[in-house]
Amino acid sequence: GAGVSQSPRYKVAKRGQDVALRCDPISGHVSLFWYQQALGQGPEFLTYFQNEAQLDKSGLPSDRFFAERPEGSVSTLKIQRTQQEDSAVYLCASSLAGGEQFFGPGTRLTVL
Amino acid sequence: GENVEQHPSTLSVQEGDSAVIKCTYSDSASNYFPWYKQELGKRPQLIIDIRSNVGEKKDQRIAVTLNKTAKHFSLHITETQPEDSAVYFCAASSEDSSYKLIFGSGTRLLVRP
């Protein structure tokens, strides 16, 4: 079956622009995670959904970051008024409850 | 909060030799420890994982050991091959923390032919 997909794969934004990143999880996976991976670093947790409920958003770096999963499937990570420090790869992962997390290919965001 | 430390940051071995990567974690509630392999520009892919109710797990050339008392776990790759060259990340998680993965900083493994 299809794995986790993300779009766009690459996004270039001017500082101050808003961006929206999409994640399509594996069908049937109730858990969905967003991570941020800076160049040369390990992924860092941003937020977690169980179905449509956002149960943990402790990793979101500022109130410019917002995530939603309204129907318990596709998720969108939105970044408002992008800053240069937001440049990173944004990874989405999905899993069965408590199971192995399968990662998407990521969206590479570059803020100029 | 949970912290995971990983070392070495880089590791170069001759093809056929073994490679060992070590991680320590801080949260005693952690009970799931996966290892991911990430090739340049690609997604992280799980290569092996271990839960806290076992001390060792092996899958062909790859093994992971866990010492809960010392809060450390290690990845062992035997008979290394050039295609093993990649960045390897350890991680820890627990049900108490929403199963979010806390990653180490990564080890860049180079297997010289």
Side-chain angles (χ1 to χ4, degrees), chain A residues 30-42:
Chain A
V30 299
S31 300
L32 187 145
F33 302 81
W34 284 98
Y35 296 87
Q36 180 190 61
Q37 186 173 27
L39 190 64
Q41 303 293 318

Side-chain angles (χ1 to χ4, degrees), chain B residues 22-23 30 32-34 39-40 45 47-48 51 54 59 62 66 71 74 83 86-88 90 92 97-98:
Chain B
K22 299 183 178 183
C23 289
S30 294
Y32 175 62
F33 307 92
E39 298 178 9
L40 190 63
Q45 293 197 305
I47 55 171
I48 195 166
R51 296 190 183 270
V54 298
D59 182 4
I62 296 173
L66 171 65
K71 291 194 232 173
S74 300
E83 51 265 37
V87 179
Y88 291 80
C90 64
S97 62
S98 307

Side-chain angles (χ1 to χ4, degrees), chain A residues 92-112:
Chain A
C92 174
S94 72
S95 74
L96 298 172
E100 172 188 350
Q101 292 187 27
F102 293 84
F103 282 83
T107 295
R108 181 177 297 277
L109 172 65
T110 302
V111 181
L112 303 177

Side-chain angles (χ1 to χ4, degrees), chain B residues 25 28-31 33 51-55 65-73:
Chain B
Y25 61 98
S28 56
S30 294
N31 60 1
F33 307 92
R51 296 190 183 270
S52 59
N53 57 344
V54 298
T65 59
L66 171 65
N67 182 327
K68 284 195 65 180
T69 303
K71 291 194 232 173
H72 67 68
F73 56 113

